[in-house]
Amino acid sequence: MMRTGAKEFVVVRPLYSEEAFAQDHEKVYRHGKTMLDHVKDYFTCDAKRAKNAALSLLPVIGWMKIYRIKDWLLSDIVSGVSTGLVAVLQGLAYCLLASLPPWYGLFSAFFPVVIYFFLGTSRHISVGPFPVLCLMIGSVVTRIVPDEGPALNITGLEGLTRDEQRVLVASSLTFLTGIMQLAMGILQVGFVVMYLSDTLVSGFTTAAAVHILVSQLKFVLGLTVPGISGPLSLIYTLEIIFNKITSTNVCDVVISLVIMVVVFIVKELNDRFKSKLPVPIPIEVIMTVIACGVSYAFDFKTRYGIDVVGHIPKGYESPIAPNLHILQETAVEAFPMAIVGFAVAFSVAKVYSVKHDYTIDGNQELIAFGVSNIFGASFKSFAASTALSRSAVQESTGGKTQIAGLLSAIIVMIVTLAIGFLLEPLPKSVLGAVVIVNLKGMLMQFRDIPYLWRRDKPDCVVWLGTCTAAILLGLDLGLAAGLGVELISVVLRAQLYVFGCKMNDSLQIYEPEGVKIFRIPSPIFFANIEFFRSKLVEAVGFNPLRVLRKRNKALRMIRKLLKKGDLQWTSKGFLNTSCGFIKESEDESNMEELDLPTDFKDLPVRIDWSTELPANIIVPRVDLHSLVLDFAAVSFLDISALKGLKTVTFLFCQKNLFLYMCDFYIREIKLHDCCFFDDEVQSSMFFLTLHDAMLHILKKHPESTEKKSDFDRVKKTHFYLVENTKHNTILGIVNSSFVLQIVTTVTVHHPEGSLRSRDRNVRIHFYF
């Protein structure tokens, strides 16, 4: 019984152990499926399942059915042309990283894109050459077919030129990479990318950027440097470059510096004024055209001895079969390539899917890239993924679907079949300069080191270990070393901090009306943050971001109707003055405003979302007013988890839902240091225990205690909060029929503050 004006409570209950409590109250038994049931379900086929299988294997059918020609086609055309021009240039440039003739990069910017159009689930990524994969291919190519000396003794390489041997090696390696990706997709193991944390990927891509930078120095300086692969290859390459530095071609250096300075400045202007520019300025394409013209007019190749792209054959070459001996030789290198290519593409696709509110399937993405690489390898292209800069161009120029990607492939095809000869006088130093400038984003990740060291030292160790190992040992061994460091970090933290306790599950225990208690039974880190968010949304029964957007869209509609005079405010509420049926607006402009907190300014009254809205406006109704997150078993969070938790917290706070967190022992250690709190997410929502949070909610919302039981035999007049003080957990809310069994007073709090106790393990708090 709670005393008015006091903080003391009368606590009365019989002494219960967990076993005694389970004996007196019927448990809820949940029968799980057996392995045989799962096998039967997997091999069961009907019309609905066949339809779903077809839609999952060909995602193009799903988004084609909702394609809006009038709204999206023009944007896709503009995006496709812009992306195609960038794809041509990047295809030529990144091909140098793979130690292949430049025009084969055009093949990689065409064939995989066509296949991904039909099989891919992302609507915004641009498929094609990716510099990290190209560098990994180049290390294998130069190992098997070195610049100096004979190739390895492999059957099938006899009688071929050096370029033909390298193309065969690259295509066979790409074929094996595609086979591995396809196999992982069929076996439904797309979840493996969850074990590549943001920290590990950041360290790995930074090391790859260093390798790419060093590999392009020979083109920028105009030097002849043999390709070197294996551990410490970066050190040996730098040694050769420094020994030959006196032979630098001044013309190549001047061209490269001019290209890098101009491209860098214009790219910065594109970023600064992207809101005012209809499309980004394609400065790489412009400078490439200028460089081609100047090189042709002044005959740079003959006069200054610079290395140019040279002859570009027209059309496509006949398909070839992979070399089985090369497949055996490159199996070790193919697996990390399959993982890296998919992980980078999936990460970029996930960013755009969240931004544009659609779902992607990791297993289907594996199948899409696997088939794309298998098909492309047959036509002498090399492994494809997605380039961050190219995908950014496709999305920022208005691309809505993969029709933009298909149009970019058509632009590449036109260059390959008709106008490729115009690029023959292009200096390779221009391509090297373009590659170096595009490394800015990856190289700037070095700035993450101080941030990680201050916020999460184990994550910083993973970043440094992965980056250092990849720089010194090579990308393939570096990735394996990074995974080892990450695994050790997770295991150590899990072993040091994991703890938990059981939550009783009884038919007489349930949550108050309007309150949802969500308990997290394990640590939260990069591998389970997505699972945490999906389960939380499933538990509350709604997506907070979609509800927020619906409400803001409704407010936009109400303001519009008030302005037109079709809606008026009276003393009895809103009055619809329009004679006809008012349709919901389909305007998608200013979509960013829909993600802002609901704002009732300029409205005559604050909208009550639990009531019927005017003008046929429908917004999903939310019956919750309070959400309690029980972090009793959460032992640690990493940087990725903090970002995800901040996003979830911010979304629920924007929806005016009262969010409470309790038993969060790392709050002082982590959240303040990482600037977790702001105007929306405040420290006042944290409580010491779940008991404290529930007392606060029931006092603030007394109507929550009036929910009626689903069981006819239970007649409630009062509610009681059961707390196990020994384990510091809440057992639940029980009704008055349960309290009738109370026979012993075990703990009494007197108003004067004295305490008499026979058992301090279990308490029942009375609410009326």
Side-chain angles (χ1 to χ4, degrees):
M1 176 178 181
M2 186 168 65
R3 302 179 184 277
T4 305
K7 297 182 179 179
E8 293 82 11
F9 300 88
V10 177
V11 183
V12 181
R13 70 174 304 289
L15 179 61
Y16 272 112
S17 64
E18 291 189 9
E19 181 179 0
F21 187 86
Q23 291 175 351
D24 292 345
H25 302 87
E26 183 181 355
K27 297 282 289 184
V28 176
Y29 292 98
R30 300 178 177 89
H31 300 282
K33 290 184 177 181
T34 64
M35 181 63 69
L36 182 60
D37 294 331
H38 285 290
V39 172
K40 289 180 179 179
D41 291 342
Y42 185 80
F43 288 101
T44 300
C45 184
D46 52 26
K48 182 178 180 180
R49 185 162 185 176
K51 179 182 177 181
N52 292 335
L55 291 176
S56 64
L57 290 176
L58 292 173
V60 64
I61 299 175
W63 58 260
M64 269 295 189
K65 292 191 299 183
I66 62 172
Y67 192 84
R68 296 185 234 168
I69 297 178
K70 293 182 180 180
D71 297 333
W72 292 356
L73 184 58
L74 181 59
S75 298
D76 279 339
I77 292 175
V78 173
S79 175
V81 173
S82 303
T83 308
L85 296 175
V86 176
V88 170
L89 180 59
Q90 291 188 350
L92 296 173
Y94 294 159
C95 200
L96 300 180
L97 298 173
S99 301
L100 299 174
W103 63 85
Y104 285 99
L106 300 178
F107 298 171
S108 297
F110 174 74
F111 291 107
V113 179
V114 176
I115 299 300
Y116 188 86
F117 172 82
F118 296 99
L119 300 180
T121 58
S122 175
R123 305 176 194 173
H124 293 88
I125 65 171
S126 176
V127 178
F130 176 53
V132 176
L133 278 185
C134 294
L135 190 65
M136 297 176 76
I137 293 172
S139 65
V140 178
V141 168
T142 53
R143 178 177 66 84
I144 296 178
V145 186
D147 291 331
E148 298 176 355
L152 294 184
N153 187 18
I154 296 179
T155 304
L157 297 181
E158 306 89 353
L160 301 177
T161 64
R162 186 179 303 276
D163 285 345
E164 290 174 341
Q165 290 176 338
R166 290 188 167 185
V167 170
L168 181 59
V169 171
S171 61
S172 299
L173 176 61
T174 299
F175 184 87
L176 183 56
T177 301
I179 290 292
M180 291 181 176
Q181 290 175 331
L182 180 61
M184 287 190 291
I186 294 175
L187 296 176
Q188 304 286 294
V189 292
F191 64 88
V192 296
V193 297
M194 291 191 300
Y195 295 95
L196 299 178
S197 68
D198 294 342
T199 306
L200 184 143
V201 173
S202 175
F204 178 77
T205 53
T206 304
V210 174
H211 278 280
I212 294 170
L213 175 63
V214 173
S215 69
Q216 295 305 292
L217 289 178
K218 63 181 180 181
F219 299 110
V220 171
L221 300 176
L223 300 176
T224 302
V225 179
I228 302 175
S229 60
L232 301 180
S233 60
L234 188 80
I235 307 299
Y236 297 142
T237 302
L238 287 174
E239 181 184 6
I240 296 174
I241 290 175
F242 286 136
N243 290 334
K244 294 185 176 182
I245 198 69
T246 55
S247 303
T248 299
N249 190 313
V250 178
C251 183
D252 275 323
V253 174
V254 172
I255 292 174
S256 301
L257 289 177
V258 172
I259 294 293
M260 284 190 286
V261 170
V262 174
V263 172
F264 178 81
I265 292 175
V266 176
K267 276 183 169 289
E268 290 297 314
L269 293 176
N270 281 339
D271 290 338
R272 179 167 298 184
F273 300 104
K274 60 183 179 181
S275 60
K276 299 181 180 180
L277 294 173
V279 294
I281 301 174
I283 186 60
E284 297 105 325
V285 178
I286 295 174
M287 295 304 296
T288 300
V289 173
I290 295 175
C292 279
V294 174
S295 175
Y296 176 78
F298 294 95
D299 195 11
F300 280 178
K301 180 180 180 181
T302 304
R303 184 175 298 181
Y304 300 106
I306 66 173
D307 195 11
V308 298
V309 171
H311 175 65
I312 298 180
K314 287 186 177 181
Y316 295 101
E317 301 182 11
S318 57
I320 60 172
N323 187 298
L324 296 180
H325 299 281
I326 295 177
L327 297 182
Q328 297 175 357
E329 183 70 26
T330 60
V332 176
E333 291 95 342
F335 183 72
M337 284 178 53
I339 296 295
V340 170
F342 168 64
V344 172
F346 185 75
S347 299
V348 177
K350 186 166 61 174
V351 170
Y352 289 127
S353 69
V354 172
K355 181 177 180 180
H356 296 278
D357 194 21
Y358 63 90
T359 59
I360 56 174
D361 184 351
N363 295 313
Q364 180 60 27
E365 287 292 292
L366 274 171
I367 294 175
F369 279 104
V371 177
S372 297
N373 285 324
I374 292 172
F375 182 76
S378 302
F379 290 90
K380 301 183 181 180
S381 75
F382 50 84
S385 180
T386 182
L388 279 66
S389 59
R390 195 170 60 248
S391 295
V393 170
Q394 180 166 320
E395 193 269 342
S396 63
T397 52
K400 302 295 184 184
T401 64
Q402 281 300 327
I403 287 181
L406 187 62
L407 291 175
S408 71
I410 294 175
I411 298 295
V412 175
M413 181 182 67
I414 293 173
V415 173
T416 305
L417 297 178
I419 60 176
F421 67 93
L422 296 176
L423 298 173
E424 292 179 1
L426 177 65
K428 289 185 177 180
S429 57
V430 174
L431 299 177
V434 170
V435 171
I436 291 175
V437 171
N438 282 299
L439 294 177
K440 176 199 168 188
M442 289 191 287
L443 291 174
M444 292 298 286
Q445 293 176 134
F446 276 111
R447 297 186 301 180
D448 293 345
I449 297 177
Y451 172 81
L452 290 173
W453 183 254
R454 291 193 303 268
R455 268 55 174 187
D456 197 306
K457 289 181 175 59
D459 268 2
C460 186
V461 171
V462 171
W463 196 100
L464 291 173
T466 304
C467 185
T468 304
I471 289 175
L472 297 178
L473 303 179
L475 297 181
D476 48 357
L477 295 178
L479 179 62
L483 285 171
V485 174
E486 183 180 59
L487 179 61
I488 292 173
S489 171
V490 171
V491 170
L492 288 178
R493 287 194 281 187
Q495 288 179 341
L496 291 175
Y497 299 115
V498 167
F499 68 96
C501 53
K502 293 183 179 180
M503 179 76 77
N504 278 359
D505 192 4
S506 174
L507 292 176
Q508 282 82 9
I509 296 179
Y510 47 87
E511 295 166 332
E513 189 175 40
V515 181
K516 177 65 68 174
I517 302 175
F518 186 83
R519 183 174 183 271
I520 299 91
S522 66
I524 307 176
F525 52 101
F526 64 89
N528 66 0
I529 182 63
E530 293 296 332
F531 179 78
F532 161 74
R533 285 195 285 199
S534 63
K535 285 296 181 182
L536 180 58
V537 171
E538 179 182 340
V540 299
F542 63 90
N543 188 317
L545 180 58
R546 294 187 179 180
V547 173
L548 177 65
R549 288 176 175 174
K550 284 284 188 181
R551 290 184 175 181
N552 280 329
K553 199 170 183 180
L555 291 177
R556 180 191 293 181
M557 187 66 178
I558 291 173
R559 288 192 179 96
K560 184 177 180 181
L561 295 176
L562 288 172
K563 185 176 180 180
K564 287 183 176 180
D566 293 337
L567 194 66
Q568 294 182 359
W569 170 253
T570 66
S571 58
K572 297 182 179 180
F574 285 104
L575 178 62
N576 186 3
T577 60
S578 176
C579 298
F581 180 79
I582 300 177
K583 295 182 61 177
E584 185 178 355
S585 174
E586 295 294 334
D587 181 20
E588 292 191 2
S589 61
N590 299 322
M591 290 295 292
E592 295 81 2
E593 295 180 2
L594 299 181
D595 295 339
L596 299 176
T598 52
D599 187 1
F600 298 97
K601 67 179 182 180
D602 302 331
L603 291 179
V605 68
R606 185 181 182 90
I607 303 298
D608 183 1
W609 300 111
S610 62
T611 61
E612 184 177 356
L613 298 179
N616 304 315
I617 298 175
I618 300 176
V619 174
R621 183 172 178 176
V622 177
D623 295 325
L624 289 181
H625 58 69
S626 300
L627 173 63
V628 182
L629 301 182
D630 182 8
F631 286 91
V634 177
S635 56
F636 72 88
L637 289 88
D638 62 4
I639 297 296
S640 302
L642 280 176
K643 291 179 181 178
L645 182 60
K646 177 63 179 290
T647 302
V648 170
T649 305
F650 183 74
L651 288 177
F652 279 109
C653 289
Q654 280 186 324
K655 211 198 68 56
N656 297 324
L657 183 74
F658 293 97
L659 184 68
Y660 305 95
M661 301 183 189
C662 50
D663 283 323
F664 209 175
Y665 86 100
I666 63 172
R667 175 171 61 88
E668 296 294 333
I669 302 175
K670 280 275 187 183
L671 303 185
H672 284 291
D673 294 339
C674 294
C675 303
F676 184 84
F677 301 109
D678 53 26
D679 294 335
E680 292 287 339
V681 183
Q682 301 178 359
S683 58
S684 60
M685 65 175 57
F686 288 82
F687 289 85
L688 184 63
T689 64
L690 183 56
H691 170 210
D692 297 314
M694 290 301 302
L695 288 179
H696 178 81
I697 293 172
L698 294 175
K699 184 177 180 181
K700 190 172 184 179
H701 301 276
E703 71 279 1
S704 298
T705 63
E706 297 176 3
K707 176 183 176 182
K708 294 186 178 180
S709 172
D710 295 330
F711 307 97
D712 295 335
R713 60 185 175 84
V714 177
K715 297 180 180 179
K716 303 191 312 250
T717 56
H718 306 94
F719 286 82
Y720 308 88
L721 186 64
V722 183
E723 180 186 12
N724 187 327
T725 58
K726 181 178 180 179
H727 296 290
N728 195 28
T729 60
I730 295 296
L731 301 182
I733 305 295
V734 299
N735 52 56
S736 56
S737 64
F738 172 63
V739 178
L740 292 178
Q741 304 172 30
I742 296 175
V743 294
T744 306
T745 300
V746 292
T747 305
V748 178
H749 291 268
H750 291 278
E752 293 79 14
S754 60
L755 174 67
R756 290 182 296 177
S757 175
R758 297 182 185 177
D759 180 11
R760 300 172 186 263
N761 287 344
V762 183
R763 298 176 182 173
I764 298 182
H765 303 272
F766 288 58
Y767 299 91
F768 291 83

